Amino acid sequence: QVQLVESGGGLVQAGGSLKLSCSASGHTFGPYKMGWFRQAPGKEREFVAAVSWSGGYTTYGDSVKGRFTLSRDKIKNTSYLEMNSLKPEDTAVYYCAGDFRGTDIQFSRPTTYDYWGQGTQVTVSS
């Protein structure tokens, strides 16, 4: 059974950095793409970033462009979300998601991902 496990969340001051990791297990070939989403209390789930597993193409949500960088290690089946210049409005639970079906290439659409991690809390203090 496929499992996604996030790690690396925590509390950081505004302007600081954090690096989240998402490790996938239980699937022979890895995902077609892996995405990160976040959800703050009272707000809708927001697309953060995604990466195509074979080619490494990345795309980002407008609110994080230029501050966040997503990469992946195909050998370890792990993606890394490096978050710099963090702002209080980045505070949320961050979820990674894996698309193991490959039937829809829409990176920012949550319904194209079939497995999700449990989430990791990121809190940015002002």
Side-chain angles (χ1 to χ4, degrees):
Q1 183 173 354
V2 174
Q3 284 191 315
L4 299 177
V5 179
E6 302 106 333
S7 61
L11 173 65
V12 65
Q13 288 189 332
S17 299
L18 279 176
K19 188 174 184 178
L20 307 183
S21 300
C22 177
S23 295
S25 62
H27 195 279
T28 303
F29 302 109
Y32 286 90
K33 66 180 186 286
M34 188 175 284
W36 286 86
F37 295 79
R38 66 186 183 186
Q39 189 164 20
K43 294 189 176 181
E44 293 186 353
R45 183 168 43 186
E46 178 187 12
F47 170 71
V48 176
V51 59
S52 66
W53 213 247
S54 60
Y57 167 81
T58 54
T59 184
Y60 299 89
D62 289 340
S63 61
V64 306
K65 280 180 183 176
R67 300 188 297 123
F68 290 13
T69 302
L70 180 59
S71 60
R72 93 273 191 247
D73 184 326
K74 294 172 66 176
I75 302 298
K76 295 182 178 180
N77 267 346
T78 299
S79 70
Y80 303 96
L81 184 65
E82 187 163 358
M83 307 184 295
N84 299 313
S85 302
L86 283 162
K87 307 174 182 179
E89 50 264 43
D90 294 318
T91 296
V93 177
Y94 284 69
Y95 299 91
C96 72
D99 169 17
F100 291 85
R101 295 170 299 188
T103 56
D104 190 328
I105 63 171
Q106 291 288 331
F107 286 93
S108 63
R109 189 178 299 166
T111 54
T112 66
Y113 297 87
D114 45 348
Y115 289 94
W116 292 76
Q118 80 286 355
T120 185
Q121 177 70 47
V122 170
T123 303
V124 184
S125 63
S126 57

